[in-house]
Each structure stands twice: as C-alpha cells, then as structure tokens.
C-alpha cells in the first residue's frame, strides 16, 4: 500500500520547485565560473576532513537546495577557465540537461523496449562517428567510459583473432597484445582482466617525443612469438595520456595488416580530432583500425560518462560478449542491433545517446570542431610561450591540448621544487593543474579543457608559479 511518504517523494510539484532551484543555482554557477566571478577553481580540503564534513552534514538539517549548493561549493569547477587539470570537459549545459532527462526517465537500455528513443538515437550517434571516421560498414555502441570501452574492444579482438575459443574454453595458451609504454593504464588493466598476465602486455618503448617506436614492433613481436605467445592485437594511442602525443597510426596499421592482428586505437582523449579540419591529420590511419574508442566527456564537451566504441566491420560490434553468435550474425540479416546489452558490458546503462545527440541536433559537428580546435590551439600557443621563458622548461612541443613543463629557475632538486608547486597550487585553489612523471622526472602537466581558457590566464599561471617559487 502506498504511504503518504511515497506520495510526497513522487510529488511533481516538489520536483518542479526543487528543479527550479537547481536550474537557477546551476545557471548562476555557470555564469560565475566561466566569468571567474568565483575566484577559486577548487576549495581544497584533505580527504578525512571532507569525509567528516559530510558525515556530520545530516545533523545540520539542511534543505535539498542547501545540500546542492554545498555540493557545488565543495566540488572542483571544470567550467572555470583556470581548470586546466585532468581530461574532463566542462560539460555543455544542453548535455547536462539531457543527462537530467535521462536520469528522470531512467530507461534501462538493455533491450529495445527499455529505451526505444535512446536506442535508435544511439544508432544515429554511432553513424555520426562511423561516417566521420570513414568506416563505410562500421558499427558500434556507447558505453560507460574509456576504460570499459578499451576492455570491450579488446575482448572483441580476442574473440575474432585468437586461434582458440577463450570465451567458452578458457585460456589454452598464452595470448598477448602490443602497446606503447605510454598507453593509458587501463589498457594494461584490460589485458590483465582478460587473463593475459604481465607477460601478455608487451610494452613497446617510445621515442624522445613519447611516440611508440614502431620500428621496434617487429623485434618485440618476434621475441614474443619465440617465447610462445600468440599476439592478437596492437594498440595505438591517440593520444597518450601523459604527454598528449599521437602514435603513428599509419605505421601501426601497416604492421597489424602484415601480421594479421587486430588494430585497436585508444582515442579516448583525441579521437574527436576527426571533427577538426585543422587537427584531423593527427588521426591519419585511424580509418584502418579494426576498433577505436572515443570519450564524449573528454574532448566533446559531453557530461560524464559516455564513450563510443566503434568498429570498422559491423559484425565485429557483436563479438565481445557473443563469441558464438558472431558467426551467426555474419550469416544473419537481422543482427538484433536494437538489443544493446548483447554488445555492451553493462546490462542497464544510462541513456547516454541523448547527451551526444542533443548537441548534434542543436549545433551539428561545428561545435565539436570549434571545441577541439580551440583547446588544441590554446595549448600549442602556450607551449610556444613557455619556450620563451628562461625559468621554465617545456618537456616537449605539445601537439594537442596537453602540456608538460616544469620550473627550472632556481636550480636545486627539480622534482621537489615542482612537487611543491603542484601542491601549493592545489591548496591555494586559484589554478588547478596536475602532474606526471616523464622518464622518471616530475613534470607539471596541464590539459586545456575549457574553451574560455586563454593566454592571459595561462601567463597568470606562470606568474603564480614564480610567486610560489620565490616565497620558498
Ligand atoms: C588515453 C586514455 N584512455 C583511456 C582513458 C580512460 O578513460 P575513462 O576515464 O573514460 O575511463 C583515459 C583517461 O584519461 C585516457 O587518457
């Protein structure tokens, strides 16, 4: 029997009232962060302190809108032009609204009936990608993030390329993949989940610019074969996470073809360059990939979390979790494209196609072009600017929106100096940047994710760093 509380919980007038508050709050938030009226990009607190704050929150008897306001205040602000840290986009407001729609409709998506509109839209969104990539007979689906997307694509690779039926029989012999030492850690993780073990993740060294040394592929391949491995795939990064450098996809593709192995591209970060007339050449060779993944929540401005998993051959799109069925589909005119859980790791998943489609519908591919091109341009200009500063060192010329650099002005232990800079910036909260280690050395790392970040902001960052160094 429904109770008064249940009626209250689902009361549409409360939804409207709270919804109006929230939209007003977010609208105010958007304008204050983008314009930098709110000074800080992060209000830093130590994890235990934050935990205690929230543990005691309920006792204070705050309303829902006060709760939402407090969450905003205590969260990092990706829409602030001084947010130049990890690779998460300041979500486009329309995409956030689509996420709200998805959350309230809560269609489950696993089978067609549980999300007719969003299932059909998912196909439209996938076609948007496959056309841009030049996959004439391509297909794919959306999944929850680049990590899961890479795992799914590699499962398809194993299903199609391995000489044994691992899905049904388990591992019968040693399988391996080739990947740059600079690849995102999730590729390594995927391989381990697939039971390849440390030996099955063959890391190809990178050159001085952190690109995979494709000239070494043959040697590493031969060694692995001698050691009893069957190589099923080679993975290119477009770009790699630490430095933002794209691997030579054409060379990797040629190698994959020669060896008859799967060619997968982890383009979680930079696959959206396909929509930029200026930067699409970074993806030359991508049209030869067997699979490629592209994150919406990185370089496409889409609310987290949503990733496209794309296959050159539509039949491959069914291979990850349906090893037997893939043979069936090849002969079958009706591959049941609309029951998405056959192809995704998730059973229930969010209606993520809406977040893409709302932008395609409102702005077309021009938005994706403007977004990525602006971010890459700004970072590349900033790289040139750093080079002119005597007290800073640029790790490498940026080719995308990721820039690695460090302060060298005062001599001493550069790792300690730059570790301190990063920590001071975090605690101060005026800028948010991150860090990486390149060949063992500590570098400051930033990703221009916000199209409103400009050279004035970035020059101010360097001034801020100088002040930190001079105060120590
Ligand atoms: C190249 C690359 N691949 C995969 C991932 C993981 O993507 P996600 O965070 O969507 O799981 C990242 C995240 O930074 C990345 O840079």
């Amino acid at each position: 029997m429904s109770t008064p509380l249940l009626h209250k919980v689902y009361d549409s007038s409360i939804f409207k009232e709270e919804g109006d508050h929230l939209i007003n709050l977010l609208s105010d938030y958007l304008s204050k962060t983008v314009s930098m009226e709110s000074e800080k990009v992060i209000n830093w607190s130590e994890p235990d302190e934050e935990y205690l704050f929230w543990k005691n929150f309920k006792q204070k008897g705050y309303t829902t809108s006060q709760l939402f306001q407090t969450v905003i205040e205590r969260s990092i602000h990706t829409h602030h032009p001084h947010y130049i840290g990890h690779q998460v986009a300041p979500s486009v407001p329309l995409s956030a609204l689509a996420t709200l729609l998805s959350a309230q409709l809560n269609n489950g998506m696993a089978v067609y009936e549980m999300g007719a509109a969003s299932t059909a839209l998912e196909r439209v969104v996938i076609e948007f990608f496959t056309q841009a990539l030049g996959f004439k007979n391509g297909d794919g689906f959306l999944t929850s993030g680049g990590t899961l997307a890479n795992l799914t694509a590699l499962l398809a690779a194993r299903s199609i390329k391995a000489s044994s039926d691992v899905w049904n029989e388990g591992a019968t012999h040693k399988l391996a993949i080739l990947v740059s030492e600079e690849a995102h850690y999730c590729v390594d993780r995927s391989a381990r989940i697939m039971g390849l073990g440390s030996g099955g993740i063959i890391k190809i060294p990178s050159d001085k610019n952190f690109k995979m040394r494709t000239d070494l592929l043959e040697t590493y391949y031969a060694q692995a074969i001698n050691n009893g491995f069957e190589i099923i795939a080679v993975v290119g990064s477009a770009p790699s996470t630490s430095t933002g450098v794209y691997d030579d996809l054409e060379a990797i593709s040629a190698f994959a073809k020669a060896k008859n192995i799967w060619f997968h591209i982890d383009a979680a970060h930079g696959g959206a360059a396909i929509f930029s007339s200026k930067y699409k050449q970074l993806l030359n060779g991508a049209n030869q990939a067997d699979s490629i993944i592209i994150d919406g929540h990185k370089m496409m401005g889409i609310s987290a979390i949503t990733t496209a998993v794309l296959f050159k051959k539509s039949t491959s799109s069914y291979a990850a979790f349906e090893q037997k069925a893939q043979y069936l589909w090849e002969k079958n005119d009706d591959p049941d494209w609309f029951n998405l859980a056959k192809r995704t790791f998730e059973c229930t998943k969010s209606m993520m196609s809406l977040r893409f489609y709302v932008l395609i519908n409102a702005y077309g591919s021009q938005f994706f072009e403007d977004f990525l091109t602006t971010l890459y341009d700004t970072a590349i200009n900033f790289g040139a600017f750093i080079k002119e500063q005597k007290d800073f060192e640029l790790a490498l010329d940026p080719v995308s929106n990721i820039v690695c650099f460090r302060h060298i002005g005062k001599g001493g232990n550069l790792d300690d100096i730059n570790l301190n800079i990063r920590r001071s910036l975090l605690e101060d909260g005026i800028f948010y940047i991150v860090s990486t280690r390149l060949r063992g050395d500590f570098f400051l790392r930033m990703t221009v994710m916000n199209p409103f970040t400009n050279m004035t902001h970035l020059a101010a960052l360097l001034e801020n760093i100088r002040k930190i160094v001079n105060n120590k």
Side-chain angles (χ1 to χ4, degrees), residues 257-269:
K257 270 204 190 103
K259 301 296 180 200
N260 190 25
I261 60 178
W262 189 268
F263 174 28
H264 173 65
I265 305 177
D266 176 0
H269 182 80

Side-chain angles (χ1 to χ4, degrees), residues 163-355:
S163 56
S164 60
D165 181 358
V166 184
W167 187 258
N168 288 306
E169 289 160 20
T172 52
H173 60 287
K174 296 194 292 182
L175 300 178
I177 60 168
L178 302 167
V179 60
S180 164
E181 62 177 357
E182 286 295 316
H184 191 265
Y185 76 86
C186 72
V187 176
D188 182 294
R189 184 179 284 187
S190 297
R192 287 173 199 275
I193 291 170
M194 287 163 60
L196 271 55
S198 307
I201 307 151
I202 298 168
K203 301 225 166 122
I204 311 294
S206 57
D207 67 14
K208 68 178 190 342
N209 288 322
F210 301 92
K211 243 180 212 245
M212 180 201 277
R213 282 200 47 196
T214 50
D215 58 314
L216 293 180
L217 277 170
E218 188 66 55
T219 313
Y220 277 73
Y221 180 91
Q223 266 170 14
I225 300 289
N226 277 341
N227 291 333
F229 284 97
E230 178 189 356
I231 311 275
I232 53 171
V234 57
V235 180
S237 302
S240 58
T241 310
S242 260
T243 58
V245 169
Y246 285 69
D247 284 334
D248 180 344
L249 303 177
E250 282 175 323
I252 300 175
S253 153
F255 178 80
K257 270 204 190 103
K259 301 296 180 200
N260 190 25
I261 60 178
W262 189 268
F263 174 28
H264 173 65
I265 305 177
D266 176 0
H269 182 80
I274 204 71
F275 300 107
S276 163
S277 37
K278 184 165 175 187
Y279 291 107
K280 73 193 313 177
Q281 96 287 348
L282 290 166
L283 288 164
N284 282 353
N287 62 344
Q288 300 302 313
D290 294 295
S291 57
I292 176 168
I293 64 124
I294 303 177
D295 273 357
H297 52 281
K298 291 191 168 66
M299 299 304 296
M300 300 185 77
I302 291 171
S303 304
I305 184 171
T306 171
T307 303
V309 188
L310 304 148
F311 296 90
K312 186 166 65 191
K313 273 179 150 183
S314 60
T315 47
S316 307
S317 170
Y318 297 82
F321 304 110
E322 291 278 330
Q323 189 163 26
K324 283 285 177 217
Q326 74 167 294
Y327 306 112
L328 205 66
W329 306 135
E330 275 181 29
K331 294 182 204 117
N332 194 333
D333 290 340
D334 180 9
D336 224 11
W337 65 267
F338 40 81
N339 289 325
L340 287 165
K342 282 188 166 181
R343 295 190 268 167
T344 56
F345 188 86
E346 302 101 320
C347 178
T348 303
K349 70 172 185 180
S350 70
M351 301 160 77
M352 43 186 93
S353 60
L354 300 185
R355 295 177 218 160

Side-chain angles (χ1 to χ4, degrees), residues 24-152:
N24 286 334
L25 202 60
L26 286 176
S27 170
D28 193 44
Y29 168 76
L30 186 63
S31 79
K32 284 191 174 144
T33 47
V34 169
S35 68
M36 296 198 345
E37 198 180 319
S38 313
E39 198 191 8
K40 291 199 171 189
V41 61
I42 183 168
N43 288 305
W44 175 250
S45 61
E46 294 297 334
D48 288 345
E49 192 191 325
E50 191 66 17
Y51 164 69
L52 281 179
F53 175 86
W54 287 107
K55 194 172 158 64
N56 298 323
F57 186 81
K58 182 97 178 65
Q59 295 155 15
K60 295 177 187 151
Y62 286 131
T63 61
T64 301
S65 57
Q66 285 167 327
L67 163 66
F68 289 162
Q69 173 75 49
T70 313
V71 169
I72 291 176
E73 282 161 10
R74 301 182 77 89
S75 298
I76 193 161
H77 307 319
T78 54
H79 293 80
H80 194 296
H82 286 181
Y83 175 89
I84 34 181
H86 288 294
Q87 302 143 264
V88 180
S91 63
V92 176
L94 280 189
S95 182
L97 287 179
T99 309
L100 174 63
L101 175 61
S102 161
Q104 186 56 57
L105 292 180
N106 227 16
N107 282 197
M109 297 294 295
V111 290
Y112 174 65
E113 302 99 270
M114 287 302 296
S118 40
T119 299
L121 281 175
E122 184 156 327
R123 186 166 170 181
V124 174
V125 168
I126 291 299
E127 283 166 4
F128 179 73
F129 280 107
T130 52
Q131 272 164 23
L133 284 164
F135 287 174
K136 286 200 185 69
N137 301 308
D139 199 354
F141 43 82
L142 301 176
T143 196
S144 304
T147 300
L148 201 51
N150 278 321
L151 172 63
T152 310

